[in-house]
């Protein structure tokens, strides 16, 4: 058995591997860059070795530095996690040459499946259904346009060495094919050091469903069911689940058998994933094989009870799998929500900074027999860096069926506290409540179709607005009562807190009164209806549990001057609680207008300017590319919103800009 594992990765996946290694009694070694000196994986490992500057190109993907760390610590095995060197055949060969166990598949399988073009040819030969496309390399944008036209739009432009949504673009016409080719090429070069590009047909109304495979070194290869990964943004998975709400047993078996056939064709062992695109008639086509552990592996673990990291370690140690295909049973339903450092209110642009609050919900057994799991690599007070993937955590829920798992996820997201950076918690909550998601009518276009103008939060309906108004009034009353207790009396007089209030936010205005009793409070609205509320919330608490009409809901609470900010179920409201007379006078106050930034191109995220496409005095048209910003390994093209003339160029390629720094000024 392996004695000491070096994890050639960082963040959440490094912590995940350390957890299983410790359970198995195996020592662990972390590696870290300058940016990760105080990272959680460094704290959790038995040993840690510094490997260089913050950029991964100077640290985490430098093979010689990993080999030096191995030599220094005497590690006899390496787990690569995902990303970085996990599918790098040269790295696996270097470990083999050094006599170090690679906890992953054989080099030949990595080489064959790591190249998207080669893998499709091998898949077709193995009898696996494949998507029509051009499997040769494409030299330039002109050739890309020609090939795309021959295949027929829409097409998917993909990096041959790609993964994780990097180096991928969908093109619906020649202009998009030309631009997408160059962007994919640039991202592929930056992320993988390999800018080879190919093009294939984009399947409309597609679902992204993948099969988990697991094999040992003795010829046994199994499939462990499927994962539905259709909720994606820019080809980056956001929510995954297992099993898929779309597959029937016949399709599941057929996909599983084809996945095993492909794995067997390349002599595979260890954990791996075969990804398919599935159309509305359950026709499925091979996309790629990931010769590594997937980000979304926890949902498979939750429905099978199999620890995939443990099995990878045992396979790498030469052990046979202790179970067969007939032993693999899918039990219940699991959902994974990826919590990203991305601001959903700013078109999901990356966010960096300090986690001033990071308090995940409690893991383990929950109400209704559900289970929560949170795989993370951060901690309260830690920094989210611009150098790496924006993932903060993977929150997972398990329930006896899909509806139960979704409801458990919704409750858990409401209880997950993250402050200090932009994050996608409200968006994840919105998806959990979305009728189309809950009904299982998914495609990879779900986010683009259901949120075509971006995400601006969940608008409360009248019932939700009344709940929030009642909660805001109760909070205000407790804050007022505490203030009275602190200030005491003036002379023989104690300030009396009124019972009648006007609560307003957005388009909602609710006049109500509070009647306090031994078991809580009754909040009575002007139309005579009432809500009973009980809570243990006290001023200063950032999360409150409120029993409203018998239902317990978790609401994040912030006191903002005379207002109360409440966040629940993807809703984010700033409720003003005033006496009726003050509310009447407030209607007479003029509205404060935001500053005019219409003549400025502001940097929408912290990042590096990699290109300026215009110069001073240039005329620009609506939709024209103006500048390119790279942040968290993704290239973002900024475009003109309307026609105009450039008055000043305030930034240049290579500049590192913060949010809202000026790039261009217009006349």
């Amino acid at each position: 058995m392996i004695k000491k594992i070096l994890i050639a990765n960082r963040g959440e996946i490094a912590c995940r591997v350390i957890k299983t290694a410790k359970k198995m009694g195996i020592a662990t070694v972390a590696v870290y860059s300058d940016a990760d000196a105080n990272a959680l994986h460094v704290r959790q490992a038995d040993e840690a070795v510094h490997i260089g500057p913050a950029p991964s190109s100077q640290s985490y993907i430098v093979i010689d530095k990993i080999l030096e760390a191995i030599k220094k610590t005497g590690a006899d095995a390496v787990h690569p996690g995902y990303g970085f060197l996990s599918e790098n055949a040269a790295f696996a060969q270097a470990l083999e040459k050094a006599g170090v166990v690679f906890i992953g598949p054989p080099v030949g399988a990595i080489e064959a499946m790591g190249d998207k073009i080669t893998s499709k040819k091998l898949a077709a030969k193995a009898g696996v259904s494949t998507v029509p496309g051009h499997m040769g390399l494409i030299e330039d944008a002109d050739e890309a346009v020609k090939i795309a036209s021959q295949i027929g739009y829409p097409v998917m432009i993909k990096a041959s060495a790609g993964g994780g949504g990097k180096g991928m673009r969908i093109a619906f016409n020649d202009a998009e094919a030309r631009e997408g080719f160059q962007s994919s090429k640039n991202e592929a070069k930056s992320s993988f050091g390999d800018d080879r590009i190919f093009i294939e047909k984009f399947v409309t109304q597609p679902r992204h469903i993948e099969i988990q495979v697991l094999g040992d070194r003795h010829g046994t290869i199994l499939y462990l069911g499927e994962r539905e990964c259709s909720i994606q943004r820019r080809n980056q998975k956001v929510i995954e689940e297992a099993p898929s709400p779309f597959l029937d047993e016949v399709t599941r078996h057929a996909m599983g058998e084809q996945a095993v056939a492909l794995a067997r064709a390349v002599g595979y062992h260890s954990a791996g994933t075969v990804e398919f695109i599935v159309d509305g008639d359950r026709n499925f086509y091979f996309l790629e094989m990931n010769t590594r552990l997937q980000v979304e592996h926890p949902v498979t673990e939750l429905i099978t009870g199999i620890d995939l990291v443990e099995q990878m370690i045992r396979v790498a140690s030469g052990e046979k799998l202790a179970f067969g295909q007939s032993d693999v049973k899918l039990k219940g339903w699991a959902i994974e929500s990826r919590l990203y450092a991305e601001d959903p209110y700013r078109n999901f642009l990356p966010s960096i900074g300090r986690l001033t609050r990071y308090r995940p919900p409690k893991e383990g057994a929950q109400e209704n027999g559900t289970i929560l799991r949170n795989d993370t690599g951060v901690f309260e007070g830690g920094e989210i860096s611009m150098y790496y993937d924006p993932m903060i955590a993977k929150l997972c829920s398990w329930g006896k069926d899909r509806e139960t798992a979704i409801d458990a996820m919704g409750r858990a997201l409401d209880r997950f506290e993250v402050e200090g950076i932009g994050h996608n918690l409200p968006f994840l909550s919105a998806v959990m409540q979305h009728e189309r998601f809950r009904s299982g009518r998914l495609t990879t276009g779900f986010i683009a179709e259901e949120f075509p103008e971006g995400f601006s939060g969940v608008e409360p309906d009248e019932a939700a607005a009344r709940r929030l108004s009642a909660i805001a009034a109760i909070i205000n009353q407790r804050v007022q009562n505490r203030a009275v207790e602190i200030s005491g009396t003036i002379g023989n007089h104690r300030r009396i807190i009124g019972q009648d209030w006007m609560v307003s936010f957005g388009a909602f205005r609710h006049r109500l009164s509070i009647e306090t009793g031994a078991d809580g409070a009754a909040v009575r609205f002007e139309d005579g209806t009432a809500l009973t509320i009980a809570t243990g919330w006290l001023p200063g608490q950032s999360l409150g549990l409120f029993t409203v009409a018998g239902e317990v809901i978790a609401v994040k609470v912030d006191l903002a001057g005379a207002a109360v900010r409440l966040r629940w179920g993807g809703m984010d409201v700033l409720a003003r609680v005033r006496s009726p007379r003050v509310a009447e006078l407030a209607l007479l106050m003029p509205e404060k207008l935001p500053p005019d930034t219409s003549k400025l191109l502001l940097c929408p995220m912290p990042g590096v300017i990699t290109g300026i496409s215009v110069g001073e005095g240039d005329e620009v048209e609506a939709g024209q590319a103006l500048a390119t910003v790279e942040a968290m390994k993704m290239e973002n093209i900024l475009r003109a919103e309307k026609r105009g003339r450039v008055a000043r160029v305030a930034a240049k390629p290579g500049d590192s800009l913060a949010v809202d720094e000026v790039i261009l000024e217009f006349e």
Side-chain angles (χ1 to χ4, degrees):
M1 175 60 74
I2 291 165
K3 303 297 183 185
K4 183 186 289 188
I5 297 173
L6 182 143
I7 301 98
N9 218 297
R10 63 175 300 280
E12 167 268 321
I13 186 57
C15 294
R16 165 70 188 91
V17 175
I18 290 169
K19 181 178 181 180
T20 287
K22 285 188 174 182
K23 181 183 72 174
M24 298 176 70
I26 301 172
T28 56
V29 179
V31 292
Y32 65 93
S33 68
D34 290 346
D36 282 337
N38 297 312
L40 189 61
H41 73 283
V42 174
R43 298 182 180 189
Q44 290 185 347
D46 298 304
E47 301 174 63
V49 180
H50 177 253
I51 54 171
S56 58
S57 61
Q58 301 175 45
S59 51
Y60 291 106
I61 62 173
V62 181
I63 294 175
D64 287 344
K65 292 189 176 183
I66 302 298
L67 293 175
E68 288 173 12
I70 293 169
K71 185 176 181 181
K72 182 177 180 179
T73 59
D76 58 344
V78 169
H79 196 299
Y82 47 71
F84 291 153
L85 296 171
S86 62
E87 295 177 285
N88 188 305
F91 179 54
Q93 287 176 325
L95 293 176
E96 185 177 326
K97 184 177 179 180
V100 177
V101 175
F102 178 66
I103 303 175
V107 172
I110 297 175
E111 290 177 331
M113 294 293 102
D115 187 290
K116 301 296 186 295
I117 297 171
T118 301
S119 68
K120 288 185 183 298
K121 292 177 179 177
L122 286 171
K125 187 176 180 181
V128 180
S129 177
T130 58
V131 179
H134 179 82
M135 294 298 102
L137 295 177
I138 301 166
E139 294 298 327
D140 54 32
D142 289 337
E143 186 180 4
V145 169
K146 181 180 178 182
I147 291 169
S149 298
Q150 291 171 347
I151 294 172
Y153 292 108
V155 298
M156 177 75 82
I157 302 168
K158 302 177 73 172
S160 182
K166 307 295 189 302
M168 296 174 63
R169 293 291 189 276
I170 299 172
F172 289 86
N173 53 52
D174 288 355
E176 291 180 2
R178 187 177 300 279
E179 186 177 277
F181 172 81
Q182 194 57 53
S183 290
S184 293
K185 198 173 182 69
N186 292 344
E187 278 187 9
K189 180 75 170 179
S190 174
S191 297
F192 314 111
D194 183 342
D195 64 355
R196 293 175 299 154
I197 299 296
F198 72 100
I199 297 177
E200 65 186 13
K201 180 69 176 176
F202 179 69
V203 178
T204 55
Q205 295 298 306
R207 285 175 177 259
H208 187 144
I209 300 176
E210 59 192 27
I211 301 292
Q212 176 70 57
V213 295
L214 179 66
D216 61 23
R217 295 171 181 261
H218 305 277
T220 299
I221 304 176
L222 314 175
Y223 66 92
L224 310 183
E226 81 280 1
R227 295 184 288 258
E228 172 89 50
C229 306
S230 297
I231 306 298
Q232 304 179 3
R233 191 189 60 76
R234 289 186 64 181
N235 303 306
Q236 179 73 57
K237 299 167 189 173
V238 178
I239 295 171
E240 301 98 347
E241 59 184 297
S244 166
F246 185 60
L247 293 194
D248 54 26
E249 192 56 45
V250 172
T251 310
R252 175 178 295 115
H253 177 75
M255 292 176 71
E257 288 296 314
Q258 287 199 17
V260 168
L262 178 60
R264 195 174 299 284
V266 293
Y268 203 86
H269 60 72
S270 193
T273 300
V274 181
E275 302 196 357
F276 294 92
I277 201 78
V278 184
D279 69 18
D281 296 321
R282 295 194 179 94
N283 298 308
F284 56 90
Y285 307 96
F286 172 74
L287 277 178
E288 61 186 6
M289 182 175 189
N290 292 304
T291 55
R292 54 171 168 80
L293 194 66
Q294 287 282 87
V295 177
E296 56 273 18
H297 76 274
V299 291
T300 295
E301 294 183 327
L302 285 168
I303 66 167
T304 62
I306 297 170
D307 184 328
L308 289 171
V309 173
E310 177 182 348
Q311 295 305 317
M312 292 178 76
I313 294 171
R314 293 191 180 282
V315 167
S317 299
E319 294 185 17
K320 293 183 178 180
L321 291 177
F323 49 89
Q325 189 65 61
S326 62
D327 299 313
V328 178
K329 306 295 183 184
L330 307 185
K331 180 183 178 182
W333 214 282
I335 308 282
E336 175 179 292
S337 291
R338 297 192 189 188
L339 175 55
Y340 283 123
E342 297 176 337
D343 189 343
Y345 302 108
R346 297 171 65 93
N347 197 29
F348 298 92
L349 294 174
S351 179
I352 63 173
R354 186 177 297 279
L355 285 165
T356 57
R357 185 182 299 275
Y358 178 74
R359 300 180 187 177
K362 183 180 178 181
E363 294 185 82
Q366 310 289 316
E367 57 190 280
N368 299 328
T370 59
I371 297 171
L372 284 185
R373 168 175 168 174
N374 188 53
D375 287 16
T376 188
V378 302
F379 57 91
E380 187 166 300
E383 292 278 345
I384 301 297
S385 167
M386 68 178 287
Y387 295 102
Y388 311 116
D389 188 274
M391 186 184 293
I392 299 172
K394 301 182 315 194
L395 180 65
C396 303
S397 64
W398 179 92
K400 63 181 180 179
D401 53 37
R402 188 170 187 265
E403 183 179 4
T404 303
I406 292 173
D407 288 343
M409 177 61 72
R411 291 191 297 269
L413 290 168
D414 283 339
R415 288 164 169 77
F416 206 138
E417 296 185 78
V418 179
E419 305 293 347
I421 60 166
H423 56 78
N424 67 334
L425 271 176
F427 176 74
L428 296 171
S429 292
V431 174
M432 290 301 123
Q433 307 306 322
H434 200 288
E435 184 277 332
R436 179 176 163 187
F437 175 78
R438 296 183 71 90
S439 68
R441 293 182 290 109
L442 313 178
T443 71
T444 55
F446 175 90
I447 293 177
E449 292 161 6
E450 299 302 324
F451 302 92
E453 303 301 321
F455 180 74
S456 56
V458 174
E459 288 297 324
D461 58 18
E462 178 61 29
R466 287 189 174 229
R467 287 188 170 198
L468 291 170
S469 291
I471 290 170
I474 294 294
I475 289 171
N476 174 72
Q477 185 186 58
R478 294 203 171 187
V479 171
Q480 296 280 355
N481 284 335
R482 187 176 186 220
V484 168
E485 292 170 1
I486 293 172
S487 61
T489 61
I490 301 176
N492 294 322
H493 300 284
R494 185 182 182 90
R495 183 163 65 91
I496 303 299
I497 305 302
Q499 302 299 305
D500 296 325
W501 302 97
M502 178 68 79
V503 182
S504 60
F505 54 86
F508 297 99
R509 287 171 57 82
H510 292 122
R511 183 162 183 166
L512 50 81
S513 61
I514 303 174
E515 301 169 6
T516 304
D519 298 327
V523 177
R524 193 167 302 280
F525 292 85
E526 195 171 22
D527 62 3
T529 60
L531 286 173
T532 58
I533 296 184
T535 181
W537 181 88
L538 295 172
Q541 293 179 341
S542 57
L543 182 69
L545 297 181
F546 298 85
T547 303
V548 184
E551 179 186 356
V552 179
I553 62 174
V555 182
K556 294 167 187 131
V557 179
D558 292 292
L559 301 180
V564 181
R565 184 187 181 194
L566 303 175
R567 286 172 287 173
W568 166 54
M571 294 171 277
D572 189 340
V573 305
L574 190 65
R576 300 192 181 279
V577 186
R578 303 180 174 105
S579 68
R581 177 55 179 162
V582 172
E584 183 181 343
L585 295 172
L587 293 175
L588 304 176
M589 297 294 290
E591 182 181 357
K592 185 177 180 180
L593 299 176
D596 181 13
T597 59
S598 61
K599 293 187 177 182
L600 301 175
L601 175 66
L602 304 177
C603 191
M605 74 206 83
V608 177
I609 300 294
T610 58
I612 299 290
S613 305
V614 295
E616 292 183 7
D618 287 357
E619 293 275 359
V620 299
E621 300 293 334
Q624 182 177 336
L626 302 175
T628 304
V629 182
E630 184 178 298
M632 290 182 170
K633 303 191 292 184
M634 294 293 281
E635 185 176 83
N636 302 274
I637 299 175
L638 308 183
R639 302 179 182 279
E641 294 182 354
K642 58 184 179 181
R643 186 176 183 180
R645 183 190 297 272
V646 178
R648 183 173 74 94
V649 178
K652 63 182 183 300
D655 286 353
S656 293
L657 301 186
V659 174
D660 289 339
E661 280 199 65
V662 177
I663 300 174
L664 304 173
E665 289 185 20
F666 300 95
E667 293 181 356

